């Protein structure tokens, strides 16, 4: 997963570049699968905004702790006050998923309402696929994966044809993604 940072340090097309790119490509599924598992688990629960806000508060506490930790680490490592301030305000680069999952928790009650209606759920997934893949609105891919996780995780959600359609959409998205990364 950390091989992405090494891609910038080696010559394009070199053996090292190919190894780093291969490992980077193999790990790309991790975040979408994490979000899909979260959607499969969270969207089947009846969570009120109050419960979701409690979860977000817990994430903010974790976020705050690690922001302070990494700001102190930046100072101790001699990276300077500017790097420490950046880590304090925005967090360390690998903490990006905490605000992302907090955002998903914030819209979970809305997405749950959408997920309950099969037709609305399929329409929402199609719209999110178009926005995230076609128009490159990266932030829309997370609710898309969240809803897809619910569809795949709930065996009672859809009949054979609808489940096949959802699986086909995900397989198609995967193939498009592989083609774009390879390109």
């Amino acid at each position: 997963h950390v091989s992405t940072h090494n891609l910038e340090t080696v010559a394009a097309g070199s053996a090292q570049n190919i190894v780093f790119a291969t490992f980077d490509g193999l790990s790309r599924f991790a975040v979408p699968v994490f979000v899909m598992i979260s959607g499969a688990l969270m969207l089947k629960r009846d969570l009120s905004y109050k419960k979701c806000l409690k979860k977000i508060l817990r994430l903010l506490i974790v976020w705050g702790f690690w922001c302070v930790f990494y700001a102190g680490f930046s100072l101790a490592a001699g990276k300077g006050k500017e790097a420490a301030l950046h880590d304090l305000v925005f967090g360390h680069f690998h903490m990006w998923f905490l605000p992302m999952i907090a955002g998903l928790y914030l819209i979970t009650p809305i997405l749950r309402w959408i997920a309950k209606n099969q037709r609305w759920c399929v329409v929402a997934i199609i719209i999110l696929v178009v926005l995230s893949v076609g128009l490159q609105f990266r932030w829309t891919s997370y609710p898309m994966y969240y809803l897809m996780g619910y569809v795949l995780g709930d065996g009672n959600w859809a009949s054979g044809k609808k489940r096949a359609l959802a699986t086909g959409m995900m397989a198609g998205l995967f193939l498009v993604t592989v083609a774009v990364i390879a390109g």
Side-chain angles (χ1 to χ4, degrees):
H1 183 65
V2 297
S3 63
T4 302
H5 299 291
N6 296 321
L7 284 170
E8 300 170 0
T9 64
V10 296
S14 68
Q16 287 177 315
N17 179 267
I18 292 168
V19 169
F20 290 144
T22 300
F23 282 109
D24 179 55
L26 290 172
S27 69
R28 289 287 169 171
F29 75 94
V31 171
V33 169
F34 167 74
V35 174
M36 290 174 77
I37 291 169
S38 297
L41 296 174
M42 296 295 290
L43 291 175
K44 68 180 176 183
R45 299 164 70 191
D46 189 17
L47 294 174
S48 65
Y49 270 113
K50 186 176 179 179
K51 289 180 183 176
C52 289
L53 289 175
K54 281 184 178 181
K55 290 185 174 297
I56 293 169
L57 180 61
R58 283 191 218 139
L59 285 174
L60 289 176
I61 291 168
V62 170
W63 170 265
F65 171 82
W66 286 108
C67 284
V68 170
F69 174 84
Y70 279 110
F73 183 79
S74 290
L75 285 175
K79 294 181 180 179
K81 292 179 183 176
E82 194 172 303
L85 181 60
H86 181 274
D87 286 345
L88 184 64
V89 174
F90 299 106
H92 201 257
F93 71 91
H94 71 270
M95 293 172 35
W96 68 270
F97 73 94
L98 288 171
M100 179 270 295
I101 202 73
L104 287 173
Y105 287 167
L106 186 64
I107 63 172
T108 289
I110 296 166
L111 293 177
R112 187 171 189 284
W113 177 79
I114 291 170
K116 283 182 179 180
N117 183 311
Q118 292 178 5
R119 187 168 280 140
W120 280 105
C121 190
V122 170
V123 167
I125 290 172
I126 290 169
I127 290 169
L128 292 168
V129 166
V130 168
L131 290 174
S132 63
V133 177
L135 299 177
Q136 297 295 304
F137 292 149
R138 183 178 178 201
W139 60 270
T140 60
S141 65
Y142 304 121
M144 173 190 67
Y145 287 126
Y146 206 62
L147 284 170
M148 287 179 172
Y150 175 78
V151 170
L152 288 177
D154 185 15
N156 298 322
W157 184 82
S159 66
K161 286 183 181 180
K162 290 178 183 175
R163 193 174 190 88
L165 174 65
T167 303
M169 285 174 33
M170 286 182 270
L173 179 60
F174 174 75
L175 293 175
V176 167
T177 303
V178 169
V180 168
I181 289 173

